[in-house]
Amino acid sequence: MSIDNNLYEKSIKILTDLIAFKTVSGQDNSSLIDYCENILNDIGIDTFKVYDDDKKRVNLFGTLKAKNQSTKKPIILSGHTDVVPVSKGWSSDPFTATIREDKLYGRGSCDMKGFIACALAYAPIYSKSNLDRDIHFSFTFDEETACIGAPILIEELKRRNIKDGICIVGEPTNMKIIDAHKGCYEYTTYFKGLAGHSSAPHKGVSAVEYASRYVGKLIELREKLREREPKDSIFDPPYSTLSIGGVFGGIAHNVIADKCHINWETRPVIKEDGIFLNQEIDKFANEVLLPDMKKVFADASIEKKIIGEIVGFDREDKSDACEFISSLTGDNSREVVSFGTEAGLYQEIGISTVVCGPGSIEQAHKIDEFIVLDELKKCINLLDGIKNNSIAN
């Protein structure tokens, strides 16, 4: 593989800069977005931003118009700008890129600022080329927290009639083609009871106890999901899963807890499993638990809050995106993954989508996250292939 060494060094420089922005999910990412926008605007790429309600978290979308329009589908290079929080134990500062041997360490190095760095490094070459298709750059916020940012951007794309094309979501796949993953639905359920002294439990309503019964029902439904396993499922495990992330409530041994909440999630292999699960748990909460709570305390409540519902990414027999990447790499294999991405959101509005990017998911979300530097070279090589396939004859 032969690539321009200056281009490779530029991608490392940009990745170093991106890692220095502490864009942990839920926090302000505007400085990083401004950095990316400046790079794109300086080479003549038009951009627009879409904000959250607080105007602190922002999506960026840029378009490099083709110099010679053709019937070729536009390309969307898509990446999320947020990273997961950092825990103790790193060998070096997680927000300072550090190269040791053949690896670059830093939070977000592989998930997924490596792909964004390559796209930004290659953007000037696209701008100087005689392209016959549009190239879009799509950078979102808060993918790691149930894809909160991307749906806001998707609505704006629909409004602007950007609903066609080939989208490459650059999540870490070792540059392998991923064409399917499960959905990911995250919820927090809040219980409001009545506090009191533990010596008189009949005079209070324990939010913790009712939350425990709710958890028990979820575990019961988890077994039902296993029984609903689709025939010839392509996933591992082959059925929809459910996990309890945490139960939080109570202040003392001798106080009846008036508040409790549960964090839980499900990863459906088909949308119908998500519908089934929500219908069953809502029915249990509203028809069994809540009436029992209100017998003692009329203002008792159970509220389920949707944190995010990431649609699944469905395998398609004919995928323009997968075939396009295969034509550039020569690799016709297709794989599935257990983690969620923004791919299903683009697919849902009719954009052919593939997940393919540098780095390994095995290094994501871990202490001493890293990307093997050769993966950046592979990504640049793919971007070069896109250019060669997009030059007017």
Side-chain angles (χ1 to χ4, degrees), residues 353-364:
T353 305
V354 62
V355 181
C356 180
S360 169
I361 197 64
E362 295 299 319
Q363 275 75 57

Side-chain angles (χ1 to χ4, degrees), residues 163-218:
K163 296 182 286 187
D164 189 26
I166 290 173
C167 180
I168 302 168
V169 179
E171 292 277 4
T173 70
N174 288 319
M175 299 306 298
K176 292 289 186 179
I177 292 174
I178 303 300
D179 70 342
H181 62 67
K182 298 179 183 180
C184 181
Y185 299 176
E186 295 184 0
Y187 306 95
T188 297
T189 305
Y190 296 89
F191 295 79
K192 177 186 175 184
L194 180 63
H197 198 286
S198 62
S199 64
H202 61 291
K203 295 182 179 180
V205 177
S206 173
V208 169
E209 291 182 15
Y210 282 96
S212 298
R213 291 173 62 183
Y214 189 94
V215 168
K217 184 65 175 181
L218 285 174

Side-chain angles (χ1 to χ4, degrees), residues 211-226:
S212 298
R213 291 173 62 183
Y214 189 94
V215 168
K217 184 65 175 181
L218 285 174
I219 293 173
E220 176 187 319
L221 290 169
R222 181 165 64 189
E223 296 307 308
K224 297 290 185 183
L225 291 176
R226 291 175 66 105

